[in-house]
């Protein structure tokens, strides 16, 4: 493999060649990354420090926030560093690592969203059997399956790329190591590999998206038989899930459903599922969720009380 690979450093073209735009993007993405870290950590701590962790929906939300945090951290810090750098480079080994981790945590997020949709389907369509079906053992099994599926997906993407010869050029028109821009740099015909990428990424994302939409259609169909006062909470929860699904899946489908084709808009679409979606997820799941807002208020009020009490005790 080393003999057929002369590229040890890749040059990233980034988002723009205009320095003023890059500085503006740095400020924007710095704010976004702080919001992502703060929002998702806030959700995780509030869930784990309250009774919400006992409920399957919040059990999954805790892992979704963790995957969001890990997923965006594989891309955003490097992006912000490059926005201030004159020459944007990444070593070949770091590029392969980034490729593997982005698909790993992105896959975990996709499958957890599916698990959350299944949880809502059982809660609304089979309420009498909900506690039996969605036991803690079943929830742990679903999380394990999500991680295993994501690992298989990521490993297959990695193996499709790692054995390709890269002899030059080494300029990649993107801001992180993504599959299709990498395939364009390979010194061989990558048409068949591009088709495998569609099967591995595009079709998986498309099938998952269709399954999620069908599950929510069944939920909405079931809600017709419920009393009007029962609709609001269920609809609020499902609406939050649908927003997250659309925000994450639609840009990804626009990129991965086409055979080994790159467009200038791909970098903008990628921003949605690498930065924008992880930033909005905490807001979407908390602003209209009474239980989540109560947990946030309780946990952080108690924390503030203990801190002020300890500070008062130390001063005296």
């Amino acid at each position: 493999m080393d003999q057929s690979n002369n590229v040890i450093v890749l040059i990233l073209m980034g988002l723009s060649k205009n320095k003023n735009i890059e500085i503006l993007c740095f400020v924007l993405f710095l704010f976004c990354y702080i919001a992502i870290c703060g929002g998702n950590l806030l959700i995780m701590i509030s869930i784990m420090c309250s009774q919400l962790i006992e409920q399957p929906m919040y059990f999954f939300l805790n892992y979704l926030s963790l995957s969001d945090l890990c997923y965006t951290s594989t891309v955003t810090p490097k992006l912000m560093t490059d926005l201030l750098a004159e020459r944007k480079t990444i070593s070949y080994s770091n590029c392969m690592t980034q490729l593997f981790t982005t698909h790993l945590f992105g896959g975990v997020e996709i499958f957890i969203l599916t698990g959350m949709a299944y949880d809502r389907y059982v809660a609304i369509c089979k309420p009498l059997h909900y506690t039996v079906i969605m036991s803690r053992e079943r929830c742990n099994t679903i999380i394990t399956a999500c991680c295993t599926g994501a690992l298989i997906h990521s490993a297959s993407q990695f193996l499709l790329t790692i054995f390709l010869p890269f002899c030059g050029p080494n300029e990649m028109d993107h801001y992180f190591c993504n599959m299709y821009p990498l395939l364009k740099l390979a010194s061989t015909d990558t048409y068949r590999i591009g088709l495998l990428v569609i099967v591995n990424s595009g079709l998986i994302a498309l099938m998952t998206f269709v399954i999620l939409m069908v599950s929510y259609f069944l939920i909405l169909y079931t809600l017709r038989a419920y009393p009007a006062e029962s609709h609001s909470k269920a609809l609020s929860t499902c609406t939050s899930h649908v927003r997250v699904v659309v925000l994450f899946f639609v840009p990804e489908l626009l990129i991965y459903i086409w055979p080994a084709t790159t467009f200038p808009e791909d970098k903008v679409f990628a921003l949605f599922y690498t930065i924008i979606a992880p930033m909005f997820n905490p807001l979407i799941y908390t602003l209209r969720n009474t239980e989540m807002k109560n947990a946030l208020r309780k946990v952080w009020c108690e924390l503030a009380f203990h801190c002020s009490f300890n500070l008062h005790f130390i001063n005296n």
Side-chain angles (χ1 to χ4, degrees):
M1 182 176 65
D2 292 335
Q3 294 178 350
S4 61
N5 191 356
N6 299 327
V7 174
I8 58 174
V9 174
L10 293 168
I11 299 173
L12 301 172
M13 303 302 289
L15 292 174
S16 174
K17 294 181 180 180
N18 187 311
K19 199 60 186 177
N20 291 329
I21 294 178
E22 287 190 326
I23 293 173
L24 180 63
C25 287
F26 172 81
V27 174
L28 175 63
F29 295 145
L30 177 62
F31 169 78
C32 290
Y33 191 58
I34 292 172
I36 290 167
C37 293
N40 284 293
L41 286 172
L42 196 66
I43 286 180
M44 291 165 60
I45 293 171
S46 299
I47 290 175
M48 288 189 291
C49 296
S50 68
Q51 297 298 319
L52 292 181
I53 192 65
E54 302 298 327
Q55 300 182 39
M57 184 178 77
Y58 297 103
F59 176 82
F60 290 129
L61 179 57
N62 182 49
Y63 280 98
L64 180 68
S65 295
L66 178 60
S67 65
D68 267 340
L69 191 57
C70 295
Y71 181 48
T72 194
S73 294
T74 63
V75 175
T76 310
K78 171 64 177 170
L79 169 61
M80 291 191 298
T81 302
D82 286 343
L83 287 171
L84 298 180
E86 290 296 328
R87 194 164 181 262
K88 305 165 180 56
T89 61
I90 185 170
S91 68
Y92 174 78
S93 58
N94 286 343
C95 181
M96 292 298 105
T97 301
Q98 189 180 61
L99 178 72
F100 179 83
T101 53
T102 52
H103 282 277
L104 175 64
F105 294 119
V108 170
E109 182 159 356
I110 286 174
F111 295 130
I112 287 179
L113 286 170
T114 308
M116 294 176 75
Y118 174 70
D119 170 68
R120 290 300 85 201
Y121 168 78
V122 175
I124 294 171
C125 299
K126 299 182 179 181
L128 298 179
H129 302 91
Y130 178 70
T131 54
V132 176
I133 296 175
M134 297 305 298
S135 62
R136 181 47 53 93
E137 183 180 356
R138 175 68 61 85
C139 292
N140 287 329
T141 302
I142 291 173
I143 291 296
T144 303
C146 291
C147 295
T148 303
L151 182 61
I152 293 171
H153 161 71
S154 181
S156 59
Q157 294 285 80
F158 179 77
L159 291 174
L160 285 173
T161 311
I162 194 67
F163 294 110
L164 289 174
F166 292 92
C167 304
N170 66 338
E171 290 187 350
M172 184 165 56
D173 189 17
H174 217 289
Y175 63 89
F176 74 101
C177 288
N178 212 358
M179 278 298 295
Y180 286 157
L182 266 175
L183 292 182
K184 288 184 69 176
L185 299 182
S187 305
T188 186
D189 182 17
T190 58
Y191 177 75
R192 292 182 179 179
I193 293 179
L195 294 178
L196 291 175
V197 172
I198 293 176
V199 173
N200 191 24
S201 291
L203 288 184
I204 288 177
L206 179 61
M207 290 172 60
T208 306
F209 181 72
V210 170
I211 291 171
L212 289 170
M213 291 298 101
V214 169
S215 68
Y216 288 120
F217 173 79
L218 293 174
I219 288 171
L220 293 174
Y221 182 80
T222 304
L223 283 174
R224 295 191 314 162
Y226 281 41
E229 59 270 14
S230 303
H231 288 185
S232 58
K233 182 179 179 181
L235 281 175
S236 176
T237 303
C238 291
T239 301
S240 298
H241 290 187
V242 170
R243 286 173 181 166
V244 171
V245 166
V246 170
L247 197 59
F248 185 84
F249 275 90
V250 172
E252 193 170 72
L253 287 172
L254 290 173
I255 292 176
Y256 283 107
I257 207 63
W258 312 111
T261 305
T262 58
F263 300 98
E265 297 81 7
D266 285 357
K267 289 185 281 188
V268 178
F269 291 146
L271 287 174
F272 275 90
Y273 61 79
T274 56
I275 298 177
I276 305 301
M279 182 181 68
F280 278 106
N281 281 0
L283 295 175
I284 291 171
Y285 280 110
T286 55
L287 288 181
R288 296 185 62 188
N289 190 315
T290 305
E291 289 180 323
M292 195 69 230
K293 286 190 287 188
N294 290 338
L296 287 169
R297 193 177 301 112
K298 180 181 178 182
V299 169
W300 294 100
C301 284
E302 287 181 359
L303 181 63
F305 173 77
H306 287 304
C307 288
S308 61
F309 177 79
N310 292 333
L311 185 62
H312 178 74
F313 179 78
I314 292 171
N315 291 335
N316 292 316

